[in-house]
């Protein structure tokens, strides 16, 4: 005899709702960031240029060899960042749609995971590690984006964890009978 636990279903539904909402929030955020960077290209272009040039750091001779002063390389890095943000936004929008459509929770989780990992890579590896440490962004007063990068990194990590919380059973399989 197979029985279905109604609380198990509602718990899975609330987990799916939480995963979908968090994915949607991050999709909206990164879509707005990408849109802003595309439509107001110059504002964050200056930010990227200052961070890569290391012109607002302590100018320690032992670190300044890391500086990238070529505006062509700086702008290339900025365009690559915008492209990454745009793709991440599209993937997360797709993931949000899949959560809302509720057709295939495993696929929604997988797509959302890809988008969330893209954000973790951009904000963790790109802005916190490379920008913050390699280019010593932490030393700058005006051109320091570590706090905002850390917020997005942590929210993305929370969303990823919620996306992968165990639901008490594998998706697509009935709960064991007792």
């Amino acid at each position: 005899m197979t029985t279905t636990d109604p609380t198990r279903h509602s718990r899975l539904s609330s987990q799916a709702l939480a995963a979908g909402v968090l994915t949607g929030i991050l999709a909206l955020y990164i879509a707005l960031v990408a849109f802003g960077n595309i439509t107001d290209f110059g504002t964050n272009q200056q930010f990227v240029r200052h961070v890569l040039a290391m012109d607002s750091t302590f100018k320690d001779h032992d670190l300044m060899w890391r500086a990238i002063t070529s505006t062509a390389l700086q702008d290339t890095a900025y365009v690559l960042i915008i492209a990454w943000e745009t793709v991440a936004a599209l993937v997360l929008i797709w993931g949000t749609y899949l959560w809302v459509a509720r057709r295939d929770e495993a696929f929604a989780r997988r797509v959302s995971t890809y988008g969330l990992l893209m954000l973790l890579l951009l904000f963790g590896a790109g802005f916190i590690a490379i920008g913050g440490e390699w280019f010593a962004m932490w030393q700058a007063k005006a051109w320091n984006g570590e706090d905002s990068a850390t917020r997005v990194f942590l929210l993305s990590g929370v969303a990823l964890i919620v996306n992968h919380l165990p639901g008490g059973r594998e998706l697509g399989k009935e709960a064991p009978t007792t």
Side-chain angles (χ1 to χ4, degrees):
M1 175 192 271
T2 304
T3 59
T4 304
D5 180 1
T7 59
R8 186 176 300 271
H9 177 69
S10 67
R11 185 172 66 234
L12 288 172
S13 296
S14 64
Q15 285 176 349
L17 177 63
V21 167
L22 285 168
T23 301
I25 289 168
L26 287 158
L28 175 63
Y29 171 79
I30 199 65
L32 291 173
V33 167
F35 180 77
N37 285 339
I38 292 167
T39 60
D40 183 17
F41 189 84
T43 299
N44 280 330
Q45 176 189 36
Q46 292 307 309
F47 183 90
V48 171
R49 283 182 173 182
H50 284 288
V51 169
L52 295 180
M54 300 175 68
D55 58 8
S56 56
T57 64
F58 301 159
K59 295 187 177 45
D60 183 336
H61 184 311
D62 293 331
L63 296 179
M64 292 308 292
W65 64 270
R66 301 175 183 178
I68 297 174
T69 56
S70 163
T71 56
L73 288 176
Q74 293 167 346
D75 291 346
T76 299
Y78 183 46
V79 169
L80 290 173
I81 290 168
I82 294 171
W84 189 269
E85 292 167 343
T86 302
V87 172
L90 293 172
V91 170
L92 288 168
I93 289 167
W94 184 24
T96 302
Y97 166 77
L98 293 170
W99 282 115
V100 171
R102 300 183 66 145
R103 287 189 211 129
D104 186 348
E105 198 170 294
F107 189 55
R109 179 174 287 108
R110 189 167 43 253
V111 171
S112 297
T113 296
Y114 296 146
L116 294 167
L117 288 174
M118 290 181 75
L119 292 185
L120 288 169
L121 283 169
L122 178 63
F123 288 91
F127 297 146
I128 296 170
I130 295 171
E133 291 303 316
W134 184 257
F135 291 106
M137 181 171 60
W138 65 270
Q139 295 178 1
K141 289 187 175 136
W143 304 106
N144 185 346
E146 280 197 298
D147 285 344
S148 58
T150 300
R151 283 191 302 270
V152 178
F153 181 79
L154 290 174
L155 183 56
S156 300
V158 167
L160 187 62
I161 290 168
V162 169
N163 263 272
H164 290 277
L165 285 174
R169 64 178 174 88
E170 284 186 38
L171 295 173
K173 294 185 180 180
E174 285 296 317
T177 58
T178 54

Short mmCIF file of all heavy atoms in Angstrom, two decimals, residues 24-76:
data_model
loop_
_atom_site.label_atom_id
_atom_site.label_comp_id
_atom_site.label_asym_id
_atom_site.label_seq_id
_atom_site.Cartn_x
_atom_site.Cartn_y
_atom_site.Cartn_z
N GLY A 24 14.48 34.35 -9.05
CA GLY A 24 13.87 35.50 -9.70
C GLY A 24 14.44 36.83 -9.24
O GLY A 24 14.66 37.74 -10.04
N ILE A 25 14.70 36.95 -7.94
CA ILE A 25 15.30 38.18 -7.41
C ILE A 25 16.67 38.41 -8.04
O ILE A 25 17.00 39.52 -8.47
CB ILE A 25 15.40 38.13 -5.87
CG1 ILE A 25 14.01 38.23 -5.25
CG2 ILE A 25 16.33 39.21 -5.33
CD1 ILE A 25 13.97 37.91 -3.76
N LEU A 26 17.47 37.36 -8.09
CA LEU A 26 18.81 37.50 -8.67
C LEU A 26 18.76 37.70 -10.18
O LEU A 26 19.59 38.41 -10.74
CB LEU A 26 19.68 36.31 -8.27
CG LEU A 26 20.09 36.40 -6.79
CD1 LEU A 26 20.46 35.05 -6.24
CD2 LEU A 26 21.22 37.39 -6.63
N ALA A 27 17.77 37.10 -10.84
CA ALA A 27 17.59 37.34 -12.28
C ALA A 27 17.27 38.81 -12.52
O ALA A 27 17.84 39.44 -13.42
CB ALA A 27 16.46 36.46 -12.82
N LEU A 28 16.35 39.36 -11.72
CA LEU A 28 16.00 40.77 -11.84
C LEU A 28 17.21 41.65 -11.58
O LEU A 28 17.50 42.58 -12.34
CB LEU A 28 14.86 41.12 -10.88
CG LEU A 28 14.47 42.60 -10.80
CD1 LEU A 28 13.93 43.08 -12.15
CD2 LEU A 28 13.44 42.81 -9.69
N TYR A 29 17.93 41.37 -10.51
CA TYR A 29 19.10 42.17 -10.15
C TYR A 29 20.13 42.20 -11.27
O TYR A 29 20.55 43.27 -11.71
CB TYR A 29 19.74 41.64 -8.86
CG TYR A 29 21.06 42.30 -8.58
CD1 TYR A 29 21.10 43.58 -8.02
CD2 TYR A 29 22.27 41.69 -8.92
CE1 TYR A 29 22.31 44.21 -7.81
CE2 TYR A 29 23.47 42.32 -8.70
CZ TYR A 29 23.50 43.58 -8.14
OH TYR A 29 24.69 44.21 -7.95
N ILE A 30 20.56 41.03 -11.74
CA ILE A 30 21.64 41.00 -12.73
C ILE A 30 21.15 41.51 -14.08
O ILE A 30 21.92 42.09 -14.84
CB ILE A 30 22.31 39.61 -12.81
CG1 ILE A 30 23.69 39.72 -13.47
CG2 ILE A 30 21.44 38.60 -13.52
CD1 ILE A 30 24.70 40.52 -12.70
N ALA A 31 19.86 41.35 -14.39
CA ALA A 31 19.31 41.92 -15.62
C ALA A 31 19.37 43.45 -15.56
O ALA A 31 19.74 44.10 -16.55
CB ALA A 31 17.88 41.44 -15.85
N LEU A 32 19.03 44.01 -14.40
CA LEU A 32 19.11 45.47 -14.24
C LEU A 32 20.55 45.96 -14.28
O LEU A 32 20.83 47.02 -14.86
CB LEU A 32 18.43 45.90 -12.94
CG LEU A 32 16.91 45.74 -12.90
CD1 LEU A 32 16.38 46.04 -11.51
CD2 LEU A 32 16.24 46.62 -13.95
N VAL A 33 21.46 45.20 -13.70
CA VAL A 33 22.88 45.57 -13.74
C VAL A 33 23.37 45.57 -15.19
O VAL A 33 24.01 46.52 -15.64
CB VAL A 33 23.72 44.62 -12.87
CG1 VAL A 33 25.22 44.79 -13.14
CG2 VAL A 33 23.43 44.85 -11.39
N ALA A 34 23.09 44.49 -15.92
CA ALA A 34 23.52 44.41 -17.31
C ALA A 34 22.90 45.52 -18.14
O ALA A 34 23.59 46.18 -18.93
CB ALA A 34 23.17 43.03 -17.90
N PHE A 35 21.59 45.74 -17.96
CA PHE A 35 20.90 46.81 -18.69
C PHE A 35 21.53 48.17 -18.38
O PHE A 35 21.78 48.97 -19.29
CB PHE A 35 19.41 46.81 -18.33
CG PHE A 35 18.63 47.87 -19.04
CD1 PHE A 35 18.27 47.73 -20.37
CD2 PHE A 35 18.23 49.02 -18.37
CE1 PHE A 35 17.56 48.71 -21.04
CE2 PHE A 35 17.52 50.02 -19.02
CZ PHE A 35 17.17 49.86 -20.36
N GLY A 36 21.80 48.43 -17.11
CA GLY A 36 22.43 49.69 -16.72
C GLY A 36 23.81 49.85 -17.32
O GLY A 36 24.18 50.94 -17.78
N ASN A 37 24.59 48.78 -17.34
CA ASN A 37 25.93 48.85 -17.90
C ASN A 37 25.91 49.04 -19.42
O ASN A 37 26.80 49.67 -19.98
CB ASN A 37 26.74 47.61 -17.54
CG ASN A 37 27.21 47.64 -16.10
OD1 ASN A 37 27.28 48.68 -15.48
ND2 ASN A 37 27.51 46.47 -15.57
N ILE A 38 24.88 48.52 -20.06
CA ILE A 38 24.76 48.70 -21.51
C ILE A 38 24.26 50.11 -21.84
O ILE A 38 24.81 50.77 -22.72
CB ILE A 38 23.82 47.63 -22.11
CG1 ILE A 38 24.48 46.25 -22.01
CG2 ILE A 38 23.45 47.96 -23.55
CD1 ILE A 38 23.54 45.08 -22.27
N THR A 39 23.25 50.57 -21.13
CA THR A 39 22.65 51.88 -21.45
C THR A 39 23.42 53.05 -20.86
O THR A 39 23.29 54.17 -21.35
CB THR A 39 21.18 51.94 -20.98
OG1 THR A 39 21.13 51.74 -19.57
CG2 THR A 39 20.34 50.90 -21.71
N ASP A 40 24.20 52.83 -19.81
CA ASP A 40 25.04 53.87 -19.21
C ASP A 40 26.46 53.33 -19.14
O ASP A 40 27.03 53.17 -18.07
CB ASP A 40 24.51 54.25 -17.82
CG ASP A 40 25.30 55.38 -17.19
OD1 ASP A 40 26.02 56.09 -17.91
OD2 ASP A 40 25.21 55.54 -15.95
N PHE A 41 26.99 53.04 -20.30
CA PHE A 41 28.27 52.34 -20.43
C PHE A 41 29.39 53.04 -19.67
O PHE A 41 30.23 52.40 -19.05
CB PHE A 41 28.62 52.22 -21.92
CG PHE A 41 29.81 51.35 -22.21
CD1 PHE A 41 29.66 49.98 -22.32
CD2 PHE A 41 31.07 51.90 -22.38
CE1 PHE A 41 30.75 49.16 -22.60
CE2 PHE A 41 32.16 51.10 -22.66
CZ PHE A 41 32.01 49.72 -22.77
N GLY A 42 29.41 54.36 -19.70
CA GLY A 42 30.55 55.11 -19.18
C GLY A 42 30.72 55.08 -17.67
O GLY A 42 31.85 55.17 -17.17
N THR A 43 29.64 54.96 -16.92
CA THR A 43 29.76 55.04 -15.47
C THR A 43 30.62 53.91 -14.91
O THR A 43 31.63 54.15 -14.25
CB THR A 43 28.37 55.03 -14.81
OG1 THR A 43 27.65 56.18 -15.28
CG2 THR A 43 28.47 55.08 -13.31
N ASN A 44 30.23 52.67 -15.15
CA ASN A 44 31.02 51.55 -14.63
C ASN A 44 32.27 51.30 -15.45
O ASN A 44 33.19 50.64 -14.98
CB ASN A 44 30.17 50.30 -14.51
CG ASN A 44 29.32 50.33 -13.25
OD1 ASN A 44 29.70 50.92 -12.25
ND2 ASN A 44 28.17 49.71 -13.31
N GLN A 45 32.32 51.84 -16.66
CA GLN A 45 33.56 51.76 -17.44
C GLN A 45 34.68 52.47 -16.66
O GLN A 45 35.79 51.95 -16.57
CB GLN A 45 33.38 52.42 -18.81
CG GLN A 45 34.63 52.47 -19.65
CD GLN A 45 34.45 53.30 -20.88
OE1 GLN A 45 33.77 54.33 -20.87
NE2 GLN A 45 35.08 52.88 -21.97
N GLN A 46 34.36 53.62 -16.08
CA GLN A 46 35.35 54.34 -15.28
C GLN A 46 35.76 53.54 -14.05
O GLN A 46 36.92 53.51 -13.66
CB GLN A 46 34.81 55.72 -14.88
CG GLN A 46 34.66 56.66 -16.05
CD GLN A 46 35.94 56.78 -16.87
OE1 GLN A 46 37.02 57.02 -16.32
NE2 GLN A 46 35.83 56.59 -18.17
N PHE A 47 34.78 52.87 -13.45
CA PHE A 47 35.06 52.03 -12.29
C PHE A 47 36.07 50.94 -12.66
O PHE A 47 37.08 50.76 -11.97
CB PHE A 47 33.76 51.42 -11.76
CG PHE A 47 33.94 50.60 -10.51
CD1 PHE A 47 33.82 51.18 -9.27
CD2 PHE A 47 34.24 49.25 -10.59
CE1 PHE A 47 33.99 50.44 -8.11
CE2 PHE A 47 34.41 48.49 -9.45
CZ PHE A 47 34.29 49.09 -8.20
N VAL A 48 35.79 50.22 -13.74
CA VAL A 48 36.68 49.13 -14.18
C VAL A 48 38.05 49.69 -14.53
O VAL A 48 39.08 49.10 -14.15
CB VAL A 48 36.06 48.36 -15.37
CG1 VAL A 48 37.06 47.39 -15.98
CG2 VAL A 48 34.80 47.62 -14.92
N ARG A 49 38.10 50.81 -15.20
CA ARG A 49 39.39 51.41 -15.56
C ARG A 49 40.21 51.74 -14.32
O ARG A 49 41.41 51.47 -14.27
CB ARG A 49 39.19 52.65 -16.41
CG ARG A 49 38.83 52.34 -17.84
CD ARG A 49 38.70 53.61 -18.66
NE ARG A 49 38.51 53.29 -20.07
CZ ARG A 49 38.39 54.21 -21.01
NH1 ARG A 49 38.42 55.50 -20.70
NH2 ARG A 49 38.22 53.85 -22.26
N HIS A 50 39.59 52.36 -13.32
CA HIS A 50 40.32 52.73 -12.10
C HIS A 50 40.80 51.50 -11.33
O HIS A 50 41.92 51.49 -10.82
CB HIS A 50 39.45 53.61 -11.19
CG HIS A 50 39.34 55.01 -11.67
ND1 HIS A 50 40.38 55.92 -11.60
CD2 HIS A 50 38.30 55.68 -12.23
CE1 HIS A 50 39.99 57.08 -12.10
NE2 HIS A 50 38.73 56.96 -12.49
N VAL A 51 39.95 50.48 -11.23
CA VAL A 51 40.35 49.26 -10.51
C VAL A 51 41.53 48.60 -11.22
O VAL A 51 42.53 48.26 -10.58
CB VAL A 51 39.17 48.27 -10.35
CG1 VAL A 51 39.66 46.92 -9.85
CG2 VAL A 51 38.12 48.84 -9.41
N LEU A 52 41.42 48.42 -12.53
CA LEU A 52 42.49 47.73 -13.27
C LEU A 52 43.78 48.56 -13.31
O LEU A 52 44.88 48.00 -13.28
CB LEU A 52 42.03 47.38 -14.68
CG LEU A 52 40.89 46.36 -14.77
CD1 LEU A 52 40.52 46.09 -16.21
CD2 LEU A 52 41.23 45.07 -14.04
N ALA A 53 43.64 49.88 -13.38
CA ALA A 53 44.83 50.74 -13.40
C ALA A 53 45.46 50.87 -12.02
O ALA A 53 46.61 51.32 -11.90
CB ALA A 53 44.47 52.13 -13.93
N MET A 54 44.72 50.50 -10.99
CA MET A 54 45.20 50.57 -9.60
C MET A 54 45.64 51.99 -9.24
O MET A 54 46.54 52.18 -8.42
CB MET A 54 46.33 49.56 -9.35
CG MET A 54 45.91 48.12 -9.59
SD MET A 54 47.26 46.92 -9.46
CE MET A 54 47.64 47.01 -7.72
N ASP A 55 44.99 52.99 -9.83
CA ASP A 55 45.41 54.37 -9.63
C ASP A 55 44.88 55.00 -8.33
O ASP A 55 45.24 56.13 -8.00
CB ASP A 55 45.03 55.24 -10.83
CG ASP A 55 43.55 55.24 -11.14
OD1 ASP A 55 42.75 54.69 -10.35
OD2 ASP A 55 43.17 55.79 -12.19
N SER A 56 44.04 54.26 -7.61
CA SER A 56 43.56 54.80 -6.33
C SER A 56 43.94 53.89 -5.17
O SER A 56 43.34 53.94 -4.10
CB SER A 56 42.04 55.02 -6.40
OG SER A 56 41.38 53.82 -6.74
N THR A 57 44.96 53.05 -5.39
CA THR A 57 45.47 52.19 -4.32
C THR A 57 46.62 52.89 -3.62
O THR A 57 46.94 54.05 -3.93
CB THR A 57 45.96 50.84 -4.89
OG1 THR A 57 47.06 51.08 -5.75
CG2 THR A 57 44.84 50.12 -5.63
N PHE A 58 47.29 52.20 -2.72
CA PHE A 58 48.41 52.77 -1.99
C PHE A 58 49.64 52.96 -2.88
O PHE A 58 50.63 53.52 -2.45
CB PHE A 58 48.79 51.89 -0.80
CG PHE A 58 47.69 51.66 0.20
CD1 PHE A 58 47.75 50.57 1.05
CD2 PHE A 58 46.61 52.51 0.31
CE1 PHE A 58 46.76 50.34 1.98
CE2 PHE A 58 45.60 52.28 1.24
CZ PHE A 58 45.68 51.20 2.08
N LYS A 59 49.57 52.45 -4.11
CA LYS A 59 50.65 52.54 -5.10
C LYS A 59 51.96 51.91 -4.60
O LYS A 59 53.04 52.43 -4.84
CB LYS A 59 50.85 53.98 -5.55
CG LYS A 59 49.65 54.52 -6.30
CD LYS A 59 49.93 55.88 -6.88
CE LYS A 59 48.80 56.42 -7.69
NZ LYS A 59 47.49 56.33 -7.20
N ASP A 60 51.83 50.80 -3.92
CA ASP A 60 52.99 50.04 -3.45
C ASP A 60 53.74 49.49 -4.66
O ASP A 60 53.16 48.80 -5.50
CB ASP A 60 52.50 48.90 -2.55
CG ASP A 60 53.62 48.09 -1.94
OD1 ASP A 60 54.73 48.05 -2.52
OD2 ASP A 60 53.37 47.48 -0.89
N HIS A 61 55.02 49.80 -4.76
CA HIS A 61 55.82 49.38 -5.90
C HIS A 61 55.77 47.87 -6.11
O HIS A 61 55.82 47.39 -7.25
CB HIS A 61 57.27 49.83 -5.71
CG HIS A 61 58.16 49.55 -6.89
ND1 HIS A 61 58.23 48.34 -7.52
CD2 HIS A 61 59.02 50.34 -7.57
CE1 HIS A 61 59.08 48.37 -8.52
NE2 HIS A 61 59.58 49.58 -8.55
N ASP A 62 55.65 47.10 -5.04
CA ASP A 62 55.61 45.65 -5.14
C ASP A 62 54.31 45.14 -5.75
O ASP A 62 54.24 43.99 -6.17
CB ASP A 62 55.80 45.00 -3.77
CG ASP A 62 57.20 45.24 -3.22
OD1 ASP A 62 58.14 45.37 -4.03
OD2 ASP A 62 57.35 45.29 -1.99
N LEU A 63 53.28 45.98 -5.80
CA LEU A 63 51.99 45.58 -6.37
C LEU A 63 51.69 46.23 -7.71
O LEU A 63 50.92 45.68 -8.50
CB LEU A 63 50.85 45.94 -5.40
CG LEU A 63 50.81 45.24 -4.06
CD1 LEU A 63 49.63 45.74 -3.25
CD2 LEU A 63 50.73 43.74 -4.24
N MET A 64 52.25 47.38 -7.98
CA MET A 64 51.84 48.16 -9.15
C MET A 64 52.17 47.50 -10.49
O MET A 64 51.59 47.85 -11.51
CB MET A 64 52.46 49.57 -9.09
CG MET A 64 51.89 50.44 -7.97
SD MET A 64 50.08 50.54 -7.96
CE MET A 64 49.77 51.45 -9.46
N TRP A 65 53.04 46.51 -10.49
CA TRP A 65 53.32 45.80 -11.74
C TRP A 65 52.08 45.06 -12.24
O TRP A 65 51.98 44.73 -13.42
CB TRP A 65 54.48 44.83 -11.56
CG TRP A 65 54.21 43.71 -10.58
CD1 TRP A 65 54.46 43.72 -9.25
CD2 TRP A 65 53.63 42.44 -10.88
NE1 TRP A 65 54.07 42.52 -8.68
CE2 TRP A 65 53.56 41.72 -9.65
CE3 TRP A 65 53.17 41.83 -12.05
CZ2 TRP A 65 53.04 40.44 -9.58
CZ3 TRP A 65 52.66 40.54 -11.96
CH2 TRP A 65 52.59 39.86 -10.74
N ARG A 66 51.09 44.85 -11.35
CA ARG A 66 49.86 44.17 -11.73
C ARG A 66 48.90 45.06 -12.50
O ARG A 66 47.98 44.58 -13.15
CB ARG A 66 49.12 43.68 -10.48
CG ARG A 66 49.91 42.72 -9.63
CD ARG A 66 49.14 42.40 -8.37
NE ARG A 66 49.90 41.54 -7.49
CZ ARG A 66 49.48 41.15 -6.32
NH1 ARG A 66 48.30 41.52 -5.86
NH2 ARG A 66 50.23 40.36 -5.56
N ALA A 67 49.09 46.35 -12.42
CA ALA A 67 48.16 47.31 -13.02
C ALA A 67 48.05 47.12 -14.53
O ALA A 67 49.04 46.85 -15.22
CB ALA A 67 48.61 48.73 -12.71
N ILE A 68 46.84 47.26 -15.02
CA ILE A 68 46.58 47.25 -16.47
C ILE A 68 46.18 48.67 -16.83
O ILE A 68 45.10 49.14 -16.46
CB ILE A 68 45.47 46.26 -16.83
CG1 ILE A 68 45.89 44.83 -16.47
CG2 ILE A 68 45.09 46.37 -18.31
CD1 ILE A 68 44.81 43.79 -16.67
N THR A 69 47.04 49.35 -17.56
CA THR A 69 46.80 50.75 -17.89
C THR A 69 46.31 50.96 -19.33
O THR A 69 45.90 52.06 -19.68
CB THR A 69 48.06 51.60 -17.64
OG1 THR A 69 49.14 51.03 -18.39
CG2 THR A 69 48.42 51.59 -16.16
N SER A 70 46.33 49.92 -20.12
CA SER A 70 45.83 50.02 -21.50
C SER A 70 44.30 50.15 -21.47
O SER A 70 43.60 49.25 -21.00
CB SER A 70 46.23 48.77 -22.28
OG SER A 70 45.45 48.66 -23.45
N THR A 71 43.79 51.27 -22.00
CA THR A 71 42.33 51.45 -22.01
C THR A 71 41.66 50.41 -22.90
O THR A 71 40.52 50.02 -22.64
CB THR A 71 41.94 52.88 -22.45
OG1 THR A 71 42.52 53.16 -23.72
CG2 THR A 71 42.39 53.91 -21.42
N ALA A 72 42.36 49.94 -23.93
CA ALA A 72 41.78 48.90 -24.79
C ALA A 72 41.58 47.61 -24.00
O ALA A 72 40.52 46.98 -24.10
CB ALA A 72 42.69 48.65 -26.00
N LEU A 73 42.55 47.22 -23.20
CA LEU A 73 42.41 46.02 -22.37
C LEU A 73 41.37 46.23 -21.27
O LEU A 73 40.59 45.32 -20.97
CB LEU A 73 43.75 45.63 -21.77
CG LEU A 73 44.78 45.02 -22.73
CD1 LEU A 73 46.10 44.76 -22.01
CD2 LEU A 73 44.24 43.74 -23.35
N GLN A 74 41.35 47.41 -20.69
CA GLN A 74 40.36 47.72 -19.65
C GLN A 74 38.94 47.64 -20.22
O GLN A 74 38.05 47.04 -19.60
CB GLN A 74 40.60 49.12 -19.07
CG GLN A 74 41.88 49.24 -18.29
CD GLN A 74 42.24 50.69 -18.00
OE1 GLN A 74 41.69 51.63 -18.60
NE2 GLN A 74 43.18 50.88 -17.08
N ASP A 75 38.75 48.23 -21.39
CA ASP A 75 37.42 48.22 -22.01
C ASP A 75 37.03 46.82 -22.47
O ASP A 75 35.85 46.45 -22.40
CB ASP A 75 37.36 49.21 -23.18
CG ASP A 75 37.45 50.66 -22.70
OD1 ASP A 75 37.29 50.91 -21.48
OD2 ASP A 75 37.66 51.55 -23.55
N THR A 76 38.00 46.04 -22.92
CA THR A 76 37.72 44.65 -23.28
C THR A 76 37.24 43.87 -22.06
O THR A 76 36.26 43.12 -22.13
CB THR A 76 38.96 43.98 -23.89
OG1 THR A 76 39.34 44.70 -25.07
CG2 THR A 76 38.71 42.52 -24.22
#
